Amino acid sequence: MSELTQESRRNFMKLFAVAGGGLVLGFNSTSSIASGLGLIDGSNLPAAAIDFNSYLSISPENIITILSPNPELGQNIKTSFPMIVAEELDADWTKVKVVQAPLDTNKFERQVTGGSGAVPHSWERLRKAGATARQMLMEAAAKRWNVSANSLSTENGMVVHATSDRKLSYGELAIEASKLPVPTDVKLKDNKDFKLIGTAVRNVDNHEMITGKPLYGLDVYKEGMLFAVIQRPEAFGMKLKSVDAAKAKALPGIVDVVTFGNNVAVVGKSTWQVMKARKELKIAYEPDEALESSADHDRLFKELLNSPEATVRRKDGDVEAAFKNAAKVIKSEYQCPFLSHSPMEPMNFFAHVRPDGVELAGPTQTPQRARDMVAKLLDIAPEKITLELTRLGGGFGRRLSADYVLEAAELSSIIKAPVKVIWSREDDMSGGTYRPAVRYRFEAALDAKGNMIGYKLRGVGINSGNPTREDNFPSGAVENLLIDSVEHKSPITTGPWRAPITNFLAFAEQAFLDEVAQAAKKDPVQFRLELLDKAKKTPVGEIKYDIDRMRGVIELASEKSNWGKKKGVHQGFSVYFSHRSYVAQVAEVKLVKSVPVVEKVYAAADCGIVVNLSGAYQQVRGGIVDGLGHAMYSKLSFKDGAVEQKNFNNYRLIRLKEVPEIDVHFVNNGIDPTGLGEPALPPTGGAVANAIFKATGKRLRNQPFMEQPELKGGKVI
């Protein structure tokens, strides 16, 4: 570990000089060591704190306060972060107070919720922050008692001298500890000594959520705030032609109707008033780009799958020769529709653009991006913008975008007043951004012994970027492999959707591998294990997944589900690597009056050390429910550029009675945590589709499953 710089020590001394009331320890995300400390009130951080990323404070009243910098949208990060610090600190969890930090790019790094990366990014620095504070408290106690720090231990927020049976609380030592030099090297706990990490801990916001305390963006209210709804173009590819707002302006409570870009905003004194007034607008639009329909997309998919123009993502060996000499070739195509993110809390944001700066507040997964885009829009310095983070009522990738934040900021700058922009459910469903629609073509070449000697994948996406993951399994396990892609640019806006790309690609890959295993006359699980053995013994090209970790979840899921040995149920298997973690699943289906019923899903997850067992179980279960529901039921279709499903009456989500029993198991390998918010979703569709094939003999290659003729309109519950 590097030593603190002289500048850091100066900052520490300045911080100490201006603060009063307790011990605060800031930790830098780059060096993962303490970069400053001082005495503070516990709720307000002094301006002298520089290059901080998160904070641990201990008041003389023995209250430990941790500022959580990352947005909380249900992934449990607001509980897991302080658990990591508290573990190394040996804190009394009942005395820990967690506070959501605002956006502060001087003190914090990576204030982002997305990509299942928060805990992997912060794991070491959070541990070192807790361990550093603990060591300083022990040294303060040693000095007071005139004993060696090595003779002391800590437990439950106390420093203990066992020989003399003396104890002091952290609060009693906070002021003395703050006067000591910050250690440049600290010892972290052995994993076997964890007391808090790996246990089930309640979400720190549970009480507030259950009792309806203000937590979310829709709860934000500022003095003098106005409300606004925005009418956007009724179809993708259209632009605003004319507006008649006379009738809307005449209604009670309406302050103004404002046009900016292609948007028409109704501003008033209450949500109900502006929503009612919007219905009285008379707006005309005209085409600006091609107005695409779902039938156009189906035609484009067929054309582009055969296009000679494609971007090669990976090529190993002599693919043409492998297929020419194959004893058997298997070919299949899979397709998924656009999907809405459908967070329970629709988009909303507060903005107040003043001459001296901008105040923003609301739910965003990427607060720094939102702030910087507002700064660019308004042509002001980012430092003049403050952004208060609220809890997010869901996001699933939708709130990675900042379009709704920009709307609020631009509107406030026009009306010169504080305003909160609120989207209705119909706005949320029809206003973008969506999961991209994609079609895949797979081909596999088998030799006479049933070995896969060739593999081809072409992905065609609509605004998907790269619709493949060219380095994922089975890449590296096949001598001759070609993965390429073709992209169609569309006016329909798209963006990351929970487990981007892999949310559907995993289903397609894992269902196709079952097809290949069947053609090779091999057990699907054994077929995958043989490929992994091949990748380990004779790897082809670069392998970017961990073969042993993938094998581990395959074997654990097989063991827990009693794979292939059960009577009366039909099992389907799937395994996937995404966001640094590995999840294998076995779905069990029964036929009830000839209808396939998903009864149970077993999941084996390797995400490294599990921080909060309660949160981890819910992340895996939630991912499976999300994956199952969208694979079964959900679809957005388009006609002349307009989405046809505008609310939950015709956009089908999974229902409570349709959720199967879910049995979750974790691999305990002791490695540092990897992602968990997304990895459990991708394998689900493949496991269920493969189980339905076992039950019915019919392959499901398109989603949603319930609209496919193979199920004849049956109801899978």
Side-chain angles (χ1 to χ4, degrees):
M1 183 184 300
S2 61
E3 293 186 356
L4 291 173
T5 65
Q6 186 131 8
E7 183 62 33
S8 297
R9 294 184 186 278
R10 282 197 294 268
N11 287 334
F12 153 64
M13 294 305 295
K14 183 164 58 173
L15 176 58
F16 171 75
V18 300
L23 166 68
V24 62
L25 177 67
F27 34 100
N28 181 281
S29 63
T30 302
S31 63
S32 299
I33 60 174
S35 61
L37 78 163
L39 304 173
I40 66 167
D41 175 57
S43 59
N44 298 308
L45 295 170
I50 297 174
D51 295 328
F52 286 7
N53 186 280
S54 295
Y55 301 92
L56 160 65
S57 68
I58 304 173
S59 73
E61 292 77 26
N62 208 31
I63 299 297
I64 298 171
T65 301
I66 298 174
L67 272 70
S68 182
N70 288 44
E72 172 60 83
L73 57 77
Q75 83 283 27
N76 209 43
I77 199 67
K78 195 174 175 183
T79 304
S80 297
F81 264 32
M83 283 180 65
I84 298 169
V85 177
E87 176 65 72
E88 291 290 348
L89 183 62
D90 268 344
D92 179 353
W93 183 251
T94 64
K95 291 183 170 62
V96 170
K97 176 184 177 183
V98 180
V99 176
Q100 177 67 61
L103 173 68
D104 191 329
T105 54
N106 290 323
K107 296 176 181 176
F108 307 120
E109 183 185 87
R110 200 190 181 277
Q111 284 185 269
V112 174
T113 294
S116 299
V119 170
H121 173 268
S122 300
W123 169 252
E124 185 179 359
R125 66 186 178 90
L126 292 171
R127 292 186 67 189
K128 286 183 177 177
T132 300
R134 174 177 172 271
Q135 184 169 324
M136 293 170 69
L137 291 160
M138 291 174 65
E139 289 174 355
K143 188 174 181 181
R144 183 187 291 195
W145 290 330
N146 195 27
V147 298
S148 167
N150 293 331
S151 68
L152 304 179
S153 62
T154 56
E155 61 179 25
N156 214 30
M158 307 285 289
V159 177
V160 179
H161 187 239
T163 304
S164 61
D165 197 27
R166 286 180 288 183
K167 293 183 179 180
L168 285 171
S169 73
Y170 288 173
E172 292 176 285
L173 293 165
I175 293 176
E176 292 167 71
S178 69
K179 299 175 182 179
L180 299 175
V182 179
T184 58
D185 192 16
V186 292
K187 182 180 179 181
L188 302 180
K189 283 186 178 181
D190 289 331
N191 295 354
K192 63 180 176 58
D193 296 326
F194 288 160
K195 299 173 184 176
L196 189 61
I197 289 174
T199 65
V201 174
R202 294 176 182 175
N203 189 304
V204 296
D205 283 338
N206 272 359
H207 183 266
E208 285 74 12
M209 288 189 285
I210 292 169
T211 56
K213 296 295 195 308
L215 283 171
Y216 300 93
L218 286 174
D219 297 323
V220 169
Y221 181 81
K222 306 283 186 178
E223 188 67 30
M225 183 182 83
L226 298 173
F227 297 83
V229 293
I230 295 176
Q231 182 61 49
R232 301 166 190 85
E234 58 191 15
F236 293 94
M238 300 196 82
K239 64 179 180 180
L240 187 64
K241 184 178 180 181
S242 63
V243 182
D244 181 353
K247 194 171 181 180
K249 286 182 177 180
L251 291 176
I254 301 306
V255 174
D256 203 355
V257 175
V258 177
T259 299
F260 58 104
N262 279 326
N263 298 327
V264 182
V266 181
V267 184
K269 297 180 179 179
S270 75
T271 305
W272 171 247
Q273 288 172 323
V274 295
M275 285 186 169
K276 186 177 179 181
R278 181 168 64 169
K279 295 178 180 178
E280 302 302 327
L281 294 172
K282 291 181 170 50
I283 303 177
Y285 298 96
E286 59 185 357
D288 189 38
E289 298 181 68
L291 304 180
E292 297 179 356
S293 299
S294 293
D296 299 321
H297 299 151
D298 290 339
R299 175 182 52 79
L300 281 165
F301 281 140
K302 293 176 182 177
E303 291 176 358
L304 295 177
L305 278 172
N306 297 307
S307 171
E309 301 295 327
T311 300
V312 174
R313 302 293 179 176
R314 177 166 177 157
K315 187 173 183 180
D316 296 326
D318 190 336
V319 180
E320 292 74 15
F323 277 84
K324 181 179 179 181
N325 298 321
K328 185 181 291 186
V329 172
I330 303 94
K331 181 186 294 186
S332 288
E333 294 182 10
Y334 291 77
Q335 185 168 319
C336 71
F338 290 96
L339 290 180
S340 168
H341 294 80
S342 299
M344 290 307 296
E345 178 194 25
M347 302 303 106
N348 67 90
F349 224 80
F350 167 84
H352 188 187
V353 179
R354 309 181 307 269
D356 61 336
V358 179
E359 179 186 3
L360 301 173
T364 171
Q365 293 178 240
T366 53
Q368 183 177 350
R369 177 191 295 175
R371 183 203 65 176
D372 292 350
M373 291 179 71
V374 168
K376 184 177 180 180
L377 172 74
L378 301 178
D379 193 23
I380 62 174
E383 293 74 23
K384 291 187 176 182
I385 300 174
T386 63
L387 197 155
E388 175 187 346
L389 286 169
T390 65
R391 190 178 179 96
L392 287 67
F396 314 110
R398 175 60 181 92
R399 287 186 163 102
L400 292 170
S401 301
D403 52 321
Y404 58 100
V405 184
L406 294 172
E407 287 178 343
E410 186 169 5
L411 182 57
S412 176
S413 71
I414 294 170
I415 65 175
K416 302 189 184 310
V419 64
K420 181 159 69 173
V421 170
I422 298 175
W423 292 41
S424 68
R425 176 58 58 194
E426 289 78 9
D427 293 334
D428 194 65
M429 295 284 287
S430 60
T433 60
Y434 308 118
R435 181 188 79 171
V438 178
R439 190 171 181 90
Y440 295 106
R441 175 186 289 161
F442 293 89
E443 298 177 64
L446 299 178
D447 65 15
K449 295 181 180 180
N451 299 310
M452 187 161 66
I453 58 172
Y455 181 88
K456 289 196 285 188
L457 164 61
R458 170 165 291 188
V460 176
I462 299 176
N463 289 352
S464 65
N466 174 13
T468 73
R469 291 294 180 264
E470 61 272 11
D471 294 321
N472 278 7
F473 178 79
S475 294
V478 186
E479 302 98 314
N480 309 290
L481 176 142
L482 173 64
I483 297 177
D484 61 20
S485 66
V486 185
E487 183 76 358
H488 168 66
K489 299 296 183 183
S490 169
I492 298 172
T493 57
T494 63
W497 191 94
R498 190 177 187 180
I501 301 301
T502 61
N503 54 62
F504 179 78
L505 175 60
F507 151 66
E509 287 180 343
Q510 291 297 304
F512 180 67
L513 284 178
D514 260 39
E515 291 194 57
V516 180
Q518 183 189 23
K521 298 181 180 180
K522 295 181 179 180
D523 174 80
V525 171
Q526 192 57 40
F527 180 68
R528 289 167 173 82
L529 290 174
E530 288 176 4
L531 285 171
L532 287 173
D533 286 342
K534 191 175 178 181
K536 187 153 192 173
K537 294 174 183 175
T538 56
V540 181
E542 186 177 7
I543 295 181
K544 295 186 178 180
Y545 52 90
D546 189 306
I547 296 169
D548 293 331
R549 290 180 71 188
M550 183 171 279
R551 171 178 279 277
V553 294
I554 291 174
E555 292 175 344
L556 182 59
S558 299
E559 174 196 339
K560 296 300 181 182
S561 66
N562 205 15
W563 171 260
K565 299 175 183 177
K566 286 188 175 180
K567 304 289 186 182
V569 296
H570 305 274
Q571 294 181 315
F573 183 83
S574 180
V575 62
Y576 215 70
F577 159 63
S578 65
H579 301 279
R580 300 168 294 276
S581 292
Y582 300 79
V583 179
Q585 294 178 18
V586 175
E588 293 186 344
V589 165
K590 280 188 177 180
L591 285 177
V592 180
K593 295 181 180 179
S594 300
V595 176
V597 177
V598 182
E599 290 206 330
K600 189 169 185 175
V601 177
Y602 294 87
D606 179 354
C607 58
I609 294 169
V610 173
V611 176
N612 184 353
L613 194 58
S614 173
Y617 276 128
Q618 299 314 316
Q619 285 300 298
V620 175
R621 288 173 178 144
I624 290 171
V625 172
D626 211 4
L628 174 62
H630 285 90
M632 285 286 190
Y633 306 113
S634 305
K635 180 184 79 171
L636 286 177
S637 58
F638 292 82
K639 184 175 181 181
D640 297 329
V643 68
E644 295 184 293
Q645 296 80 18
K646 293 182 170 60
N647 211 317
F648 295 140
N649 63 314
N650 59 359
Y651 183 78
R652 179 78 153 83
L653 295 174
I654 194 169
R655 295 164 185 162
L656 187 60
K657 67 178 182 178
E658 295 161 344
V659 176
E661 180 184 352
I662 299 173
D663 187 11
V664 180
H665 301 270
F666 292 99
V667 174
N668 184 14
N669 54 17
I671 69 172
D672 288 354
T674 51
L676 190 57
E678 293 161 293
L681 186 151
T684 306
V688 171
N690 291 334
I692 291 175
F693 171 76
K694 289 282 190 67
T696 66
K698 297 174 181 177
R699 291 281 180 197
L700 295 171
R701 297 188 178 92
N702 298 329
Q703 292 182 3
F705 295 160
M706 296 313 303
E707 290 194 3
Q708 303 314 309
E710 290 83 0
L711 293 182
K712 297 182 179 178
K715 185 177 182 182
V716 178
I717 63 173

